[in-house]
Amino acid sequence: MQRETLFTINTIYREPLHIDGIFFGEGEKALAVVGALRGNEVQQLYICSQLVKALGERERAGRLAPGCRVGVIPCVNPFSMNLGKRFWAADNTDINRMFPGYAQGETTQRIAAGLFAHLRGYKYGVQLTSFHLSGDFTPHVRIIDAGYHDLGLADSFGLPFVMLGKPSPIDTGTLNYNWQVFETNAFSVYSKETSQIHEESARRAVEAIFSFMAAQGMLRGVGDADGARQRPRHFHEENLVTVLSSQGGIFLPRRAAGDRVEAGDALADTLDPYVGEMKERLTAPRAGIVFFNHDSNLVGGHEVAFRIIPDL
Amino acid sequence: MAITVASAQLPVGESLRIQKNRIGPLDRTVPHDKRICIVTGTHGDELEGQYVAWRLAEKLNKNPWDLHGVVDIYPALNPLGINSVYRGMPQSDLDLNRIFPGNGNGPVPEYLASEMVKDMQGATVCIDIHASNIFLRELPQIRISETMADSLVPMARFMNMPLIWIHASATVLESTLAHSLNSVGTPTLVVEMGVGMRITREYGEQLIEGIFSLMSHLGIWGRKTPPTTPPIISSDWQVSFINADHSGIFIAEANHTARVEEGEPLGFIADPLSGKVLEKIASPVSGLLFTLREYPVVYEGSLLARILHGTP
């Protein structure tokens, strides 16, 4: 295990921003795992820390396949994480909209360029990521349809769902989109939380990465490919059924990500915040699995309250 | 007349409303099938357009008989951002100008964006007024993507802006309001002027003259307007970007909008802790200093200046 500083930017009145990677093995650039690109991705940082710890144990036990270099970058943005800010704290730009970066450009373009210079050329890339909507996901792998993807590879994470999404114009600045442009098989692994640690889903994310590594020949021995026995369901993002709120108020969810629901099941109640009367009951329009749930106890009108993976 | 273009309930006793002021001709015998949209307040920290929205409405209210078409003024596409001194949409941290054309079945920001586009679509012309952000001060200018230059530059010439900057197309900019409207055949000009969180009345008045000039040209305004200053068109010139190589405090020495000579000092980056100068910035070319850093705290990569130079 080696810790290397990949990129540094000096700051006024603060210590320099260092982006550190932790590397295992030597040889072909096999797998890179990137954690918190944003300052609120505490769960993603935690998953990486647990991954590093467990990789160290496997390295000491001689279980890493020879000729493979595996890198983990737990935190790209301590500058913002230490302030409790999601985006680059100086100008509120999102590093994950700046890839592949520009070494002569603005600060976050330089950070993206400096990082991407190290991340290019890996055979596989995993980003532990979060979503701009406040809510919980059922664990899944998301792949952007950017022309260089293999859905079948994603099966070996052993997570229950693999979602293929079409890139919007702003997605063209993400790490995963650009990994694909430069011929890395890129996967986004979503776990349950973002700013809070959820140990069970973090453990599952670490297991998923080990399962993937075992399936691709990066790990030797038994025990790390168990998850791959579960064949995940593939679906396109556009096939998700969205349940929108129409009323604002106090939001009391009755179902959560991962739950199975039947058509007509109550999903959440929205109460008048002053008198406590029910303003709206949200129900499942289709039977399926809850993929996403709004996690705040306040909701506005026209917010995405739930997304459901409908039964086939 | 104030019209609500789109609304969504907020959680507690309030609705978010996107409003416009529709001012139509008093003389109903005059055909008034033409419509101009004046749009601003997309970013909550850009206030230059507030003066223009107010001033335009004030002038039109005083001279209603000269109006031969419809003027729709949208002073605040992001009212919550303006109310909270916040550039993005406060609840989601999304940049509104990166989610157009929106999605009627999406979360609140995308829903509102789609309603805005529907409301503006079909106008004779749309003027999308931005200030710069809080970091940079800009010479009043029209920005046009190179793919739209042929159709938009003739209209932009009426706008009384000293510079028309024709910039390269970028995929991420396909999510802007201007791109979305131009894509559906509604000609849209983007104005950038001044600096964030401030109002520069001189620039506002300059733009008001341009708007009346364009309205007169289109037959929406019945009076003749004085000739406007011919703009510099950037495609005939080159633009040099000057970025900081050190983090520190930028002290400007050149004057914004001045002509600078090659080698002339533009400013320096100071370290107040040590009393040292970290970097002296000299102009790499002779030309027009049309962008200058306003906010003194800089990081490696921060944009300090842009200079228009070359020979037409």
Side-chain angles (χ1 to χ4, degrees), chain A residues 10 12-13 87 90 92 104-107 110 169-170 247-249 273-274 279 299-303, chain B residues 9 11-12 86 93 98 104 106-108 111 135 171 175 243-245 247-248 272 299-303:
Chain A
N10 292 304
I12 183 168
Y13 303 134
F87 297 136
N92 211 39
Q104 305 304 314
E106 294 245 24
T107 309
R110 292 186 184 203
I170 57 168
Q247 303 289 315
Y274 293 148
K279 292 177 76 178
V299 71
H302 221 287
E303 286 190 27
Chain B
Q9 286 189 12
V12 185
Y86 200 78
D93 222 357
R98 294 292 180 274
V108 178
Y111 160 69
F135 302 106
T171 309
S175 302
N243 296 75
D245 284 329
S247 299
Y299 296 82
E300 294 171 29
S302 295
L303 185 62

mmCIF file of all heavy atoms in Angstrom, chain A residues 10 12-13 87 90 92 104-107 110 169-170 247-249 273-274 279 299-303, chain B residues 9 11-12 86 93 98 104 106-108 111 135 171 175 243-245 247-248 272 299-303:
data_model
loop_
_atom_site.group_PDB
_atom_site.id
_atom_site.type_symbol
_atom_site.label_atom_id
_atom_site.label_comp_id
_atom_site.label_asym_id
_atom_site.label_seq_id
_atom_site.Cartn_x
_atom_site.Cartn_y
_atom_site.Cartn_z
ATOM 1 N N ASN A 10 -2.207 25.377 -4.031
ATOM 2 C CA ASN A 10 -1.998 26.202 -2.847
ATOM 3 C C ASN A 10 -3.206 27.095 -2.616
ATOM 4 O O ASN A 10 -3.902 27.483 -3.559
ATOM 5 C CB ASN A 10 -0.746 27.059 -3.017
ATOM 6 C CG ASN A 10 0.500 26.202 -3.017
ATOM 7 O OD1 ASN A 10 0.741 25.462 -2.077
ATOM 8 N ND2 ASN A 10 1.272 26.268 -4.098
ATOM 9 N N ILE A 12 -4.796 30.462 -0.049
ATOM 10 C CA ILE A 12 -4.377 31.530 0.857
ATOM 11 C C ILE A 12 -4.918 31.251 2.255
ATOM 12 O O ILE A 12 -6.081 30.898 2.423
ATOM 13 C CB ILE A 12 -4.839 32.901 0.316
ATOM 14 C CG1 ILE A 12 -4.338 34.014 1.219
ATOM 15 C CG2 ILE A 12 -6.342 32.969 0.120
ATOM 16 C CD1 ILE A 12 -4.500 35.400 0.616
ATOM 17 N N TYR A 13 -4.072 31.331 3.231
ATOM 18 C CA TYR A 13 -4.396 31.178 4.659
ATOM 19 C C TYR A 13 -4.804 29.761 5.060
ATOM 20 O O TYR A 13 -5.195 29.549 6.207
ATOM 21 C CB TYR A 13 -5.491 32.161 5.111
ATOM 22 C CG TYR A 13 -5.162 33.615 4.854
ATOM 23 C CD1 TYR A 13 -6.100 34.468 4.281
ATOM 24 C CD2 TYR A 13 -3.916 34.135 5.171
ATOM 25 C CE1 TYR A 13 -5.807 35.800 4.049
ATOM 26 C CE2 TYR A 13 -3.611 35.473 4.931
ATOM 27 C CZ TYR A 13 -4.559 36.293 4.375
ATOM 28 O OH TYR A 13 -4.261 37.611 4.124
ATOM 29 N N PHE A 87 -19.966 21.969 -3.058
ATOM 30 C CA PHE A 87 -19.141 22.280 -4.226
ATOM 31 C C PHE A 87 -17.877 23.035 -3.813
ATOM 32 O O PHE A 87 -17.690 23.344 -2.639
ATOM 33 C CB PHE A 87 -19.959 23.085 -5.236
ATOM 34 C CG PHE A 87 -21.143 22.323 -5.791
ATOM 35 C CD1 PHE A 87 -22.378 22.918 -5.916
ATOM 36 C CD2 PHE A 87 -21.015 20.988 -6.162
ATOM 37 C CE1 PHE A 87 -23.470 22.212 -6.422
ATOM 38 C CE2 PHE A 87 -22.092 20.270 -6.660
ATOM 39 C CZ PHE A 87 -23.326 20.887 -6.793
ATOM 40 N N ALA A 90 -14.793 28.053 -2.946
ATOM 41 C CA ALA A 90 -14.441 29.419 -3.338
ATOM 42 C C ALA A 90 -15.423 29.998 -4.357
ATOM 43 O O ALA A 90 -15.737 31.185 -4.310
ATOM 44 C CB ALA A 90 -13.023 29.448 -3.902
ATOM 45 N N ASN A 92 -18.212 27.853 -5.750
ATOM 46 C CA ASN A 92 -19.395 26.973 -5.835
ATOM 47 C C ASN A 92 -19.485 26.216 -7.167
ATOM 48 O O ASN A 92 -20.573 25.847 -7.606
ATOM 49 C CB ASN A 92 -20.686 27.765 -5.600
ATOM 50 C CG ASN A 92 -21.758 26.908 -4.937
ATOM 51 O OD1 ASN A 92 -21.446 26.099 -4.066
ATOM 52 N ND2 ASN A 92 -22.999 27.060 -5.343
ATOM 53 N N GLN A 104 -4.740 24.819 -18.008
ATOM 54 C CA GLN A 104 -4.474 26.266 -18.025
ATOM 55 C C GLN A 104 -5.722 27.064 -17.641
ATOM 56 O O GLN A 104 -5.743 28.287 -17.769
ATOM 57 C CB GLN A 104 -4.018 26.696 -19.427
ATOM 58 C CG GLN A 104 -2.825 25.932 -19.972
ATOM 59 C CD GLN A 104 -1.637 26.015 -19.038
ATOM 60 O OE1 GLN A 104 -1.295 27.083 -18.538
ATOM 61 N NE2 GLN A 104 -1.016 24.873 -18.775
ATOM 62 N N GLY A 105 -6.770 26.356 -17.239
ATOM 63 C CA GLY A 105 -8.054 27.021 -17.022
ATOM 64 C C GLY A 105 -8.265 27.478 -15.598
ATOM 65 O O GLY A 105 -7.315 27.780 -14.866
ATOM 66 N N GLU A 106 -9.557 27.540 -15.208
ATOM 67 C CA GLU A 106 -9.924 27.990 -13.872
ATOM 68 C C GLU A 106 -9.592 26.899 -12.839
ATOM 69 O O GLU A 106 -9.292 25.750 -13.194
ATOM 70 C CB GLU A 106 -11.410 28.319 -13.845
ATOM 71 C CG GLU A 106 -11.746 29.499 -14.726
ATOM 72 C CD GLU A 106 -12.251 30.695 -13.938
ATOM 73 O OE1 GLU A 106 -11.945 30.821 -12.738
ATOM 74 O OE2 GLU A 106 -12.979 31.499 -14.538
ATOM 75 N N THR A 107 -9.717 27.244 -11.568
ATOM 76 C CA THR A 107 -9.206 26.381 -10.495
ATOM 77 C C THR A 107 -9.776 24.962 -10.571
ATOM 78 O O THR A 107 -9.018 23.978 -10.556
ATOM 79 C CB THR A 107 -9.527 27.018 -9.123
ATOM 80 O OG1 THR A 107 -9.082 28.366 -9.137
ATOM 81 C CG2 THR A 107 -8.843 26.255 -8.008
ATOM 82 N N ARG A 110 -8.520 23.021 -13.410
ATOM 83 C CA ARG A 110 -7.146 22.545 -13.176
ATOM 84 C C ARG A 110 -7.143 21.318 -12.262
ATOM 85 O O ARG A 110 -6.366 20.390 -12.464
ATOM 86 C CB ARG A 110 -6.295 23.665 -12.559
ATOM 87 C CG ARG A 110 -6.038 24.802 -13.513
ATOM 88 C CD ARG A 110 -5.085 25.834 -12.930
ATOM 89 N NE ARG A 110 -4.939 26.959 -13.867
ATOM 90 C CZ ARG A 110 -3.911 27.784 -13.906
ATOM 91 N NH1 ARG A 110 -2.924 27.654 -13.046
ATOM 92 N NH2 ARG A 110 -3.863 28.763 -14.781
ATOM 93 N N PRO A 169 -26.582 17.103 -21.604
ATOM 94 C CA PRO A 169 -25.401 17.921 -21.927
ATOM 95 C C PRO A 169 -24.491 18.183 -20.732
ATOM 96 O O PRO A 169 -23.269 18.143 -20.863
ATOM 97 C CB PRO A 169 -26.022 19.214 -22.458
ATOM 98 C CG PRO A 169 -27.317 18.784 -23.079
ATOM 99 C CD PRO A 169 -27.821 17.683 -22.184
ATOM 100 N N ILE A 170 -25.084 18.407 -19.531
ATOM 101 C CA ILE A 170 -24.190 18.704 -18.400
ATOM 102 C C ILE A 170 -23.444 17.465 -17.919
ATOM 103 O O ILE A 170 -22.435 17.575 -17.247
ATOM 104 C CB ILE A 170 -24.922 19.384 -17.220
ATOM 105 C CG1 ILE A 170 -26.078 18.539 -16.709
ATOM 106 C CG2 ILE A 170 -25.392 20.768 -17.579
ATOM 107 C CD1 ILE A 170 -26.622 19.051 -15.378
ATOM 108 N N GLN A 247 -48.527 18.748 -3.568
ATOM 109 C CA GLN A 247 -48.782 19.656 -2.451
ATOM 110 C C GLN A 247 -47.516 19.823 -1.615
ATOM 111 O O GLN A 247 -46.744 18.884 -1.458
ATOM 112 C CB GLN A 247 -49.883 19.071 -1.550
ATOM 113 C CG GLN A 247 -51.189 18.782 -2.260
ATOM 114 C CD GLN A 247 -51.913 20.061 -2.639
ATOM 115 O OE1 GLN A 247 -52.022 20.984 -1.845
ATOM 116 N NE2 GLN A 247 -52.388 20.125 -3.880
ATOM 117 N N GLY A 248 -47.354 21.024 -1.061
ATOM 118 C CA GLY A 248 -46.259 21.242 -0.131
ATOM 119 C C GLY A 248 -46.721 21.012 1.300
ATOM 120 O O GLY A 248 -47.904 21.211 1.606
ATOM 121 N N GLY A 249 -45.796 20.612 2.156
ATOM 122 C CA GLY A 249 -46.159 20.431 3.554
ATOM 123 C C GLY A 249 -45.176 19.538 4.278
ATOM 124 O O GLY A 249 -44.022 19.389 3.875
ATOM 125 N N PRO A 273 -48.816 21.950 7.221
ATOM 126 C CA PRO A 273 -47.838 22.192 8.289
ATOM 127 C C PRO A 273 -48.398 22.991 9.453
ATOM 128 O O PRO A 273 -47.773 23.031 10.515
ATOM 129 C CB PRO A 273 -46.724 22.967 7.573
ATOM 130 C CG PRO A 273 -47.377 23.599 6.398
ATOM 131 C CD PRO A 273 -48.483 22.689 5.985
ATOM 132 N N TYR A 274 -49.562 23.601 9.283
ATOM 133 C CA TYR A 274 -50.129 24.400 10.376
ATOM 134 C C TYR A 274 -51.203 23.643 11.161
ATOM 135 O O TYR A 274 -51.273 23.759 12.371
ATOM 136 C CB TYR A 274 -50.743 25.698 9.823
ATOM 137 C CG TYR A 274 -49.723 26.662 9.261
ATOM 138 C CD1 TYR A 274 -50.051 27.494 8.199
ATOM 139 C CD2 TYR A 274 -48.435 26.743 9.781
ATOM 140 C CE1 TYR A 274 -49.130 28.389 7.673
ATOM 141 C CE2 TYR A 274 -47.506 27.627 9.266
ATOM 142 C CZ TYR A 274 -47.852 28.457 8.210
ATOM 143 O OH TYR A 274 -46.932 29.324 7.708
ATOM 144 N N LYS A 279 -53.014 16.651 3.402
ATOM 145 C CA LYS A 279 -53.245 17.370 2.146
ATOM 146 C C LYS A 279 -53.198 16.422 0.961
ATOM 147 O O LYS A 279 -53.843 16.641 -0.049
ATOM 148 C CB LYS A 279 -52.184 18.463 1.943
ATOM 149 C CG LYS A 279 -52.261 19.607 2.920
ATOM 150 C CD LYS A 279 -51.134 20.610 2.704
ATOM 151 C CE LYS A 279 -51.392 21.502 1.484
ATOM 152 N NZ LYS A 279 -50.298 22.494 1.326
ATOM 153 N N VAL A 299 -41.687 18.872 2.147
ATOM 154 C CA VAL A 299 -41.742 18.656 0.700
ATOM 155 C C VAL A 299 -42.487 19.819 0.066
ATOM 156 O O VAL A 299 -43.391 20.403 0.673
ATOM 157 C CB VAL A 299 -42.435 17.303 0.376
ATOM 158 C CG1 VAL A 299 -43.933 17.362 0.662
ATOM 159 C CG2 VAL A 299 -42.178 16.855 -1.054
ATOM 160 N N GLY A 300 -42.066 20.184 -1.141
ATOM 161 C CA GLY A 300 -42.797 21.196 -1.894
ATOM 162 C C GLY A 300 -43.667 20.524 -2.935
ATOM 163 O O GLY A 300 -43.650 19.290 -3.087
ATOM 164 N N GLY A 301 -44.447 21.305 -3.639
ATOM 165 C CA GLY A 301 -45.223 20.755 -4.740
ATOM 166 C C GLY A 301 -44.331 20.487 -5.936
ATOM 167 O O GLY A 301 -43.332 21.166 -6.147
ATOM 168 N N HIS A 302 -44.655 19.457 -6.694
ATOM 169 C CA HIS A 302 -43.902 19.092 -7.898
ATOM 170 C C HIS A 302 -42.482 18.642 -7.598
ATOM 171 O O HIS A 302 -41.558 18.892 -8.369
ATOM 172 C CB HIS A 302 -43.898 20.247 -8.908
ATOM 173 C CG HIS A 302 -44.074 19.761 -10.323
ATOM 174 N ND1 HIS A 302 -43.094 19.112 -11.018
ATOM 175 C CD2 HIS A 302 -45.129 19.804 -11.151
ATOM 176 C CE1 HIS A 302 -43.544 18.803 -12.216
ATOM 177 N NE2 HIS A 302 -44.778 19.204 -12.330
ATOM 178 N N GLU A 303 -42.285 18.016 -6.455
ATOM 179 C CA GLU A 303 -40.973 17.438 -6.173
ATOM 180 C C GLU A 303 -41.021 15.935 -6.445
ATOM 181 O O GLU A 303 -42.073 15.296 -6.329
ATOM 182 C CB GLU A 303 -40.575 17.689 -4.725
ATOM 183 C CG GLU A 303 -40.172 19.141 -4.495
ATOM 184 C CD GLU A 303 -39.538 19.383 -3.146
ATOM 185 O OE1 GLU A 303 -38.953 18.444 -2.587
ATOM 186 O OE2 GLU A 303 -39.647 20.503 -2.657
ATOM 187 N N GLN B 9 -45.844 24.849 -4.986
ATOM 188 C CA GLN B 9 -45.967 25.096 -3.548
ATOM 189 C C GLN B 9 -44.635 24.847 -2.851
ATOM 190 O O GLN B 9 -43.939 23.877 -3.140
ATOM 191 C CB GLN B 9 -47.019 24.170 -2.939
ATOM 192 C CG GLN B 9 -48.438 24.557 -3.261
ATOM 193 C CD GLN B 9 -49.445 23.741 -2.457
ATOM 194 O OE1 GLN B 9 -49.103 23.045 -1.497
ATOM 195 N NE2 GLN B 9 -50.701 23.832 -2.846
ATOM 196 N N PRO B 11 -42.935 24.181 1.056
ATOM 197 C CA PRO B 11 -43.485 23.354 2.127
ATOM 198 C C PRO B 11 -44.401 24.106 3.104
ATOM 199 O O PRO B 11 -45.421 23.576 3.519
ATOM 200 C CB PRO B 11 -42.231 22.827 2.839
ATOM 201 C CG PRO B 11 -41.173 22.818 1.794
ATOM 202 C CD PRO B 11 -41.472 24.013 0.927
ATOM 203 N N VAL B 12 -44.031 25.323 3.472
ATOM 204 C CA VAL B 12 -44.747 25.964 4.581
ATOM 205 C C VAL B 12 -45.350 27.310 4.160
ATOM 206 O O VAL B 12 -44.645 28.332 4.113
ATOM 207 C CB VAL B 12 -43.812 26.173 5.797
ATOM 208 C CG1 VAL B 12 -44.597 26.736 6.981
ATOM 209 C CG2 VAL B 12 -43.148 24.867 6.195
ATOM 210 N N TYR B 86 -28.118 34.129 -3.580
ATOM 211 C CA TYR B 86 -27.577 32.830 -3.941
ATOM 212 C C TYR B 86 -27.650 32.640 -5.450
ATOM 213 O O TYR B 86 -28.706 32.831 -6.046
ATOM 214 C CB TYR B 86 -28.383 31.721 -3.234
ATOM 215 C CG TYR B 86 -27.631 30.431 -3.155
ATOM 216 C CD1 TYR B 86 -26.634 30.257 -2.210
ATOM 217 C CD2 TYR B 86 -27.890 29.414 -4.053
ATOM 218 C CE1 TYR B 86 -25.916 29.082 -2.152
ATOM 219 C CE2 TYR B 86 -27.171 28.236 -4.004
ATOM 220 C CZ TYR B 86 -26.191 28.073 -3.046
ATOM 221 O OH TYR B 86 -25.480 26.915 -2.997
ATOM 222 N N ASP B 93 -29.247 23.553 -5.050
ATOM 223 C CA ASP B 93 -27.909 23.964 -5.452
ATOM 224 C C ASP B 93 -27.681 23.794 -6.954
ATOM 225 O O ASP B 93 -26.546 23.734 -7.413
ATOM 226 C CB ASP B 93 -26.836 23.190 -4.679
ATOM 227 C CG ASP B 93 -25.702 24.107 -4.247
ATOM 228 O OD1 ASP B 93 -25.739 25.290 -4.602
ATOM 229 O OD2 ASP B 93 -24.781 23.639 -3.569
ATOM 230 N N ARG B 98 -28.320 25.613 -16.390
ATOM 231 C CA ARG B 98 -27.732 24.350 -16.874
ATOM 232 C C ARG B 98 -28.771 23.230 -16.914
ATOM 233 O O ARG B 98 -28.401 22.052 -17.015
ATOM 234 C CB ARG B 98 -26.562 23.920 -15.979
ATOM 235 C CG ARG B 98 -25.358 24.859 -16.038
ATOM 236 C CD ARG B 98 -24.645 24.824 -17.398
ATOM 237 N NE ARG B 98 -23.505 25.724 -17.436
ATOM 238 C CZ ARG B 98 -23.575 27.016 -17.749
ATOM 239 N NH1 ARG B 98 -24.745 27.562 -18.069
ATOM 240 N NH2 ARG B 98 -22.490 27.768 -17.771
ATOM 241 N N GLY B 104 -41.134 18.704 -17.843
ATOM 242 C CA GLY B 104 -42.418 18.902 -17.168
ATOM 243 C C GLY B 104 -42.721 17.854 -16.123
ATOM 244 O O GLY B 104 -43.494 18.098 -15.199
ATOM 245 N N GLY B 106 -40.250 16.439 -14.327
ATOM 246 C CA GLY B 106 -39.071 16.355 -13.476
ATOM 247 C C GLY B 106 -39.280 17.089 -12.163
ATOM 248 O O GLY B 106 -40.371 17.575 -11.870
ATOM 249 N N PRO B 107 -38.219 17.172 -11.354
ATOM 250 C CA PRO B 107 -38.305 17.908 -10.103
ATOM 251 C C PRO B 107 -38.529 19.403 -10.339
ATOM 252 O O PRO B 107 -38.436 19.878 -11.478
ATOM 253 C CB PRO B 107 -36.954 17.636 -9.440
ATOM 254 C CG PRO B 107 -36.063 17.164 -10.532
ATOM 255 C CD PRO B 107 -36.924 16.561 -11.579
ATOM 256 N N VAL B 108 -38.778 20.124 -9.265
ATOM 257 C CA VAL B 108 -39.233 21.513 -9.377
ATOM 258 C C VAL B 108 -38.384 22.368 -10.329
ATOM 259 O O VAL B 108 -38.949 23.019 -11.219
ATOM 260 C CB VAL B 108 -39.295 22.175 -7.977
ATOM 261 C CG1 VAL B 108 -39.716 23.630 -8.097
ATOM 262 C CG2 VAL B 108 -40.269 21.429 -7.101
ATOM 263 N N TYR B 111 -39.129 21.375 -13.877
ATOM 264 C CA TYR B 111 -40.504 21.705 -14.221
ATOM 265 C C TYR B 111 -40.631 23.207 -14.511
ATOM 266 O O TYR B 111 -41.215 23.623 -15.520
ATOM 267 C CB TYR B 111 -41.430 21.287 -13.075
ATOM 268 C CG TYR B 111 -42.769 21.963 -13.080
ATOM 269 C CD1 TYR B 111 -43.705 21.682 -14.079
ATOM 270 C CD2 TYR B 111 -43.102 22.901 -12.101
ATOM 271 C CE1 TYR B 111 -44.938 22.317 -14.082
ATOM 272 C CE2 TYR B 111 -44.327 23.538 -12.103
ATOM 273 C CZ TYR B 111 -45.241 23.250 -13.099
ATOM 274 O OH TYR B 111 -46.451 23.895 -13.113
ATOM 275 N N PHE B 135 -17.135 37.639 -9.283
ATOM 276 C CA PHE B 135 -15.677 37.594 -9.378
ATOM 277 C C PHE B 135 -15.099 38.490 -10.477
ATOM 278 O O PHE B 135 -13.959 38.896 -10.406
ATOM 279 C CB PHE B 135 -15.220 36.148 -9.616
ATOM 280 C CG PHE B 135 -15.671 35.209 -8.539
ATOM 281 C CD1 PHE B 135 -16.696 34.311 -8.747
ATOM 282 C CD2 PHE B 135 -15.084 35.250 -7.287
ATOM 283 C CE1 PHE B 135 -17.124 33.453 -7.745
ATOM 284 C CE2 PHE B 135 -15.492 34.396 -6.267
ATOM 285 C CZ PHE B 135 -16.528 33.501 -6.494
ATOM 286 N N THR B 171 -20.671 21.696 -25.397
ATOM 287 C CA THR B 171 -21.821 20.824 -25.128
ATOM 288 C C THR B 171 -22.555 21.243 -23.867
ATOM 289 O O THR B 171 -23.785 21.232 -23.819
ATOM 290 C CB THR B 171 -21.341 19.360 -24.992
ATOM 291 O OG1 THR B 171 -20.544 19.058 -26.132
ATOM 292 C CG2 THR B 171 -22.519 18.408 -24.940
ATOM 293 N N SER B 175 -27.404 23.330 -22.343
ATOM 294 C CA SER B 175 -28.425 23.322 -21.289
ATOM 295 C C SER B 175 -28.837 24.727 -20.863
ATOM 296 O O SER B 175 -29.497 24.889 -19.847
ATOM 297 C CB SER B 175 -27.893 22.592 -20.055
ATOM 298 O OG SER B 175 -27.529 21.292 -20.383
ATOM 299 N N ASN B 243 -4.918 33.871 -16.399
ATOM 300 C CA ASN B 243 -5.307 33.192 -15.159
ATOM 301 C C ASN B 243 -4.189 33.309 -14.128
ATOM 302 O O ASN B 243 -3.009 33.422 -14.482
ATOM 303 C CB ASN B 243 -5.578 31.702 -15.427
ATOM 304 C CG ASN B 243 -6.757 31.486 -16.351
ATOM 305 O OD1 ASN B 243 -6.675 31.703 -17.567
ATOM 306 N ND2 ASN B 243 -7.864 31.065 -15.803
ATOM 307 N N ALA B 244 -4.563 33.261 -12.860
ATOM 308 C CA ALA B 244 -3.584 33.348 -11.768
ATOM 309 C C ALA B 244 -2.762 32.069 -11.692
ATOM 310 O O ALA B 244 -3.296 30.977 -11.852
ATOM 311 C CB ALA B 244 -4.304 33.569 -10.444
ATOM 312 N N ASP B 245 -1.492 32.228 -11.426
ATOM 313 C CA ASP B 245 -0.653 31.058 -11.163
ATOM 314 C C ASP B 245 -0.372 30.895 -9.676
ATOM 315 O O ASP B 245 0.282 29.930 -9.267
ATOM 316 C CB ASP B 245 0.666 31.175 -11.935
ATOM 317 C CG ASP B 245 0.465 30.877 -13.416
ATOM 318 O OD1 ASP B 245 -0.436 30.071 -13.728
ATOM 319 O OD2 ASP B 245 1.163 31.464 -14.246
ATOM 320 N N SER B 247 -2.067 31.594 -5.530
ATOM 321 C CA SER B 247 -3.217 31.940 -4.696
ATOM 322 C C SER B 247 -2.831 33.109 -3.801
ATOM 323 O O SER B 247 -1.726 33.138 -3.247
ATOM 324 C CB SER B 247 -3.621 30.744 -3.843
ATOM 325 O OG SER B 247 -3.996 29.666 -4.669
ATOM 326 N N GLY B 248 -3.725 34.050 -3.653
ATOM 327 C CA GLY B 248 -3.427 35.224 -2.831
ATOM 328 C C GLY B 248 -4.476 36.295 -3.017
ATOM 329 O O GLY B 248 -5.635 35.989 -3.315
ATOM 330 N N PRO B 272 -0.672 38.936 2.039
ATOM 331 C CA PRO B 272 -0.699 39.866 3.173
ATOM 332 C C PRO B 272 0.005 39.323 4.414
ATOM 333 O O PRO B 272 0.462 40.099 5.246
ATOM 334 C CB PRO B 272 -2.200 40.060 3.431
ATOM 335 C CG PRO B 272 -2.856 39.745 2.131
ATOM 336 C CD PRO B 272 -2.027 38.642 1.554
ATOM 337 N N TYR B 299 -7.266 32.034 -6.461
ATOM 338 C CA TYR B 299 -6.600 30.740 -6.322
ATOM 339 C C TYR B 299 -5.845 30.464 -7.618
ATOM 340 O O TYR B 299 -6.102 31.109 -8.643
ATOM 341 C CB TYR B 299 -7.627 29.632 -6.068
ATOM 342 C CG TYR B 299 -8.349 29.820 -4.767
ATOM 343 C CD1 TYR B 299 -9.432 30.691 -4.671
ATOM 344 C CD2 TYR B 299 -7.918 29.168 -3.620
ATOM 345 C CE1 TYR B 299 -10.069 30.898 -3.469
ATOM 346 C CE2 TYR B 299 -8.555 29.370 -2.413
ATOM 347 C CZ TYR B 299 -9.631 30.233 -2.341
ATOM 348 O OH TYR B 299 -10.257 30.434 -1.146
ATOM 349 N N GLU B 300 -4.968 29.503 -7.560
ATOM 350 C CA GLU B 300 -4.292 29.108 -8.800
ATOM 351 C C GLU B 300 -5.361 28.762 -9.831
ATOM 352 O O GLU B 300 -6.223 27.929 -9.564
ATOM 353 C CB GLU B 300 -3.402 27.888 -8.540
ATOM 354 C CG GLU B 300 -2.245 28.175 -7.614
ATOM 355 C CD GLU B 300 -1.505 26.901 -7.209
ATOM 356 O OE1 GLU B 300 -1.494 25.944 -8.009
ATOM 357 O OE2 GLU B 300 -0.951 26.871 -6.096
ATOM 358 N N GLY B 301 -5.333 29.426 -10.948
ATOM 359 C CA GLY B 301 -6.323 29.183 -11.995
ATOM 360 C C GLY B 301 -7.401 30.235 -12.077
ATOM 361 O O GLY B 301 -8.072 30.352 -13.108
ATOM 362 N N SER B 302 -7.590 31.037 -11.038
ATOM 363 C CA SER B 302 -8.660 32.044 -11.099
ATOM 364 C C SER B 302 -8.452 32.957 -12.301
ATOM 365 O O SER B 302 -7.334 33.417 -12.566
ATOM 366 C CB SER B 302 -8.679 32.893 -9.829
ATOM 367 O OG SER B 302 -9.018 32.110 -8.717
ATOM 368 N N LEU B 303 -9.553 33.237 -12.994
ATOM 369 C CA LEU B 303 -9.468 34.142 -14.146
ATOM 370 C C LEU B 303 -9.270 35.565 -13.646
ATOM 371 O O LEU B 303 -10.026 36.038 -12.790
ATOM 372 C CB LEU B 303 -10.755 34.032 -14.983
ATOM 373 C CG LEU B 303 -10.753 34.826 -16.287
ATOM 374 C CD1 LEU B 303 -9.659 34.356 -17.247
ATOM 375 C CD2 LEU B 303 -12.124 34.723 -16.971
#
